[in-house]
Each structure stands twice: as C-alpha cells, then as structure tokens.
Amino acid sequence: MSWRRSSMIQKKRTDLRIIIASATLDAEEMRDFFNNNETGDKSKDTASIMTIEGRNYPVDIHYSLDPVPDYLKCTVETVMKVHNSEKEGDILAFLTGQDEVEAVVRMLIDEAKKIPRDGHKMKVLPMYGTLPSSEQMKVFERTSRNIRKIVIATNIAEASITINGIVYIIDCGFVKIKAYNPTTGIESLVIIPVSQASANQRAGRAGRVRAGKAYRLYTEESFQKLPLATVPEMQRSDLAPVVLQLKALGIINIIKFHFLSPPPAQNMVRGLELLYALDAIDEDCNLTSPLGLQMAEFPLTPMFSKMLLESGS
C-alpha cells in the first residue's frame, strides 16, 4: 500500500481546546458561555481560558494515496508492514467496535503464527469498553524486548486511557457513536467518519514516549473534508431524561433554556411528548406529583423509572 507523508504534529500544543473523552470542545465557546461580562472590558471577564502545554513529541502523518476499499484488511496489512519494517515501538490501531476488533485480532494472530522462530514476535491484544477488566489490564503490561505489542482498540484508547510504549498509530478513519432518531424514538450506534479533532487526538497517541508515526487509512483530501469536531452528544441524544431533570430542578420554560450546545427542536419536542405519555408532566408541562417527582429521583431513563414505580403499586 502506498503512503503520502504530511507535516508533523508540533511538539507543543498551542491551540485553545479542551480535550474531553474522544471529542474536543472549543474553549472559546465555553468561555463565552460562562462569561457574564457584557461591558466589553476584558479585565472584567468572569471566565478565562487556561492552557497547559502537552509533552507530545513530533508525529509523522502518513496518508493513503488511494481510498481503501476494506479498512479491516488494510489495518492488518499496515500492522504487518510496520512490524516488519519499522524499529522498536508498540502499535495501536483504531477500529469502530468489538466485532471489528475481534476480527482483526484473529487475522493478526494468524499472521503472527507465520513468523519464524527467530523472527520479531508479536503480542496481539484487543481493547474495548465491554472487555473484562482482567483482559483490559493486559494492554498495560510490559513485553520482552523481542516482542512487539499490537493493541487493536476502539475509540476508548483515544483519550480515556494512555498505553505506554505506543509509537505507531493506525487510524481507520471511522468511529461508532450514539445517535438518536426523534421520528422513531430509538437510540442506536452508527458508524460515521471521525472528525479532524478526533483524528489529531488519535495521532497524538504516537508521540507520548518519543517521535512516532501515524498511518491514516484515508487520503489527505478526505481528511480536509472531515468535520472539524464531533457533534456534541447533547445534539444526538434522547432528551427525555434531560428534560425530566431540568423540571425537577425548577426550570419552567425548557424550550428557552440556554444550552451550551442547543439540541434540535424535534428532539426536545419528542422528549416532552414522551414524558407527557408517561404522566411525568401534565398539560402545562409541569412536573406531576408524586409520579413525576419520583421518576426524577431514579438514575434511569424515564421509561424504566415508570416501569419500576408501576411494578410496585
């Protein structure tokens, strides 16, 4: 497979961004949201931005010259190419979900069996959220000098955890996130292209211990077309639990509530309709008593809260 080398990620981070899980939030937007100063005098600002420089080493970015038809197969090929041609350093490959991780792990184990006895060995490990904790801890164990650790992970390894020794990153360019359909009222996991912020966050994993390399299984032109940041979860979630909690906190006019990331109107309407159907709110959108108040006390979705309350009556 052919690759195109791009510019390096700078050693020091100078952009004003806050990293949260797998997404980035614009720090300036957050500052403006919490800033109560309306005079225009910056000395009277009630919120400010504090940046902390990271300790990242330079990372070479390599793009695919042509679109990849099968990123699972290409991930395996790239891992083997890096393993056979690059110097010491562990490899971290990003995929979208458990099924893909396990499939690539199986393919890499088959490839590892073909390595000669005196060759450079591989230790292939999966990493995803539902993996038992005892299995997750294996990715943090040190390996012998003649064994390279290959970690195949979901976006849990993007920012939630840091695996020491990672020098090479392979990015499939996709991520599985939660999305809510207000028409059907169903939340589902969908696979979408990553944002530029997430792609840079993934690449940064290679620069923790020394200069590294990131292999992106998509073209540089495709990267430029990616959204700058991931859509906030508030804008792609079921809002019924949020509305219920806001009502319990005494917020009367939910529609005009000042959200940091305003959700779609149809999501808000769907949440109100669901709460009304569950008798959690009345015709005036006020919290019912005692049912609505009791439902708000449960750390569950409104439907599960109503089910538990009705089951005990």
Side-chain angles (χ1 to χ4, degrees), residues 21-229:
S22 61
T24 60
L25 293 179
D26 191 335
E28 293 182 356
E29 182 181 0
M30 293 189 67
R31 178 199 59 195
D32 295 340
F33 180 81
F34 290 105
N35 189 7
N36 296 324
N37 179 21
E38 298 179 356
T39 64
D41 185 359
K42 292 186 177 181
S43 63
K44 297 182 179 180
D45 285 349
T46 58
S48 59
I49 298 172
M50 181 174 63
T51 59
I52 301 175
E53 292 182 350
R55 200 179 59 178
N56 279 12
Y57 292 88
V59 177
D60 285 343
I61 307 295
H62 297 265
Y63 293 92
S64 172
L65 290 178
D66 301 302
V68 174
D70 185 349
Y71 62 80
L72 295 185
K73 181 179 178 181
C74 186
T75 297
V76 175
E77 293 173 352
T78 306
V79 167
M80 296 308 301
K81 180 179 179 181
V82 171
H83 178 68
N84 293 326
S85 61
E86 296 288 352
K87 55 185 179 180
E88 291 183 0
D90 296 335
I91 302 173
L92 171 61
F94 285 98
L95 295 173
T96 65
Q98 176 180 344
D99 293 341
E100 292 184 357
V101 168
E102 292 179 344
V104 169
V105 166
R106 287 194 297 268
M107 288 188 281
L108 284 173
I109 290 176
D110 291 338
E111 293 292 333
K113 293 178 181 178
K114 301 176 185 178
I115 299 176
R117 271 180 185 269
D118 57 347
H120 192 187
K121 303 296 183 181
M122 298 192 315
K123 183 178 181 180
V124 186
L125 298 169
M127 185 65 189
Y128 48 85
T130 57
L131 193 68
S133 57
S134 59
E135 295 295 317
Q136 290 186 11
M137 295 305 297
K138 290 182 180 179
V139 305
F140 302 104
E141 297 175 357
R142 293 186 177 183
T143 57
S144 303
R145 190 174 183 84
N146 63 332
I147 299 178
R148 190 195 300 271
K149 183 164 58 179
I150 315 291
V151 180
I152 311 301
T154 61
N155 62 337
I156 189 177
E158 189 174 300
S160 300
I161 62 172
T162 298
I163 304 172
N164 291 329
I166 298 298
V167 178
Y168 305 102
I169 294 294
I170 299 170
D171 181 8
C172 72
F174 293 93
V175 65
K176 184 180 290 186
I177 64 172
K178 180 178 67 175
Y180 177 70
N181 186 337
T183 303
T184 60
I186 296 176
E187 282 186 336
S188 59
L189 292 173
V190 296
I191 297 176
I192 64 171
V194 296
S195 64
Q196 292 185 20
S198 291
N200 290 333
Q201 178 72 7
R202 291 180 176 186
R205 301 284 95 183
R208 297 298 181 184
V209 294
R210 62 178 172 87
K213 295 182 179 180
Y215 296 87
R216 291 175 173 168
L217 308 184
Y218 44 92
T219 64
E220 189 169 7
E221 292 74 17
S222 298
F223 173 78
Q224 297 299 332
K225 296 177 182 178
L226 293 175
L228 295 178

Side-chain angles (χ1 to χ4, degrees), residues 282-309:
D282 57 24
E283 294 180 353
D284 297 322
C285 290
N286 295 320
L287 207 61
T288 58
S289 180
L291 181 60
L293 292 171
Q294 291 174 340
M295 289 174 61
E297 294 178 359
F298 281 87
L300 301 170
T301 60
M303 286 191 289
F304 288 154
S305 300
K306 176 70 177 291
M307 178 185 68
L308 288 175
L309 290 170

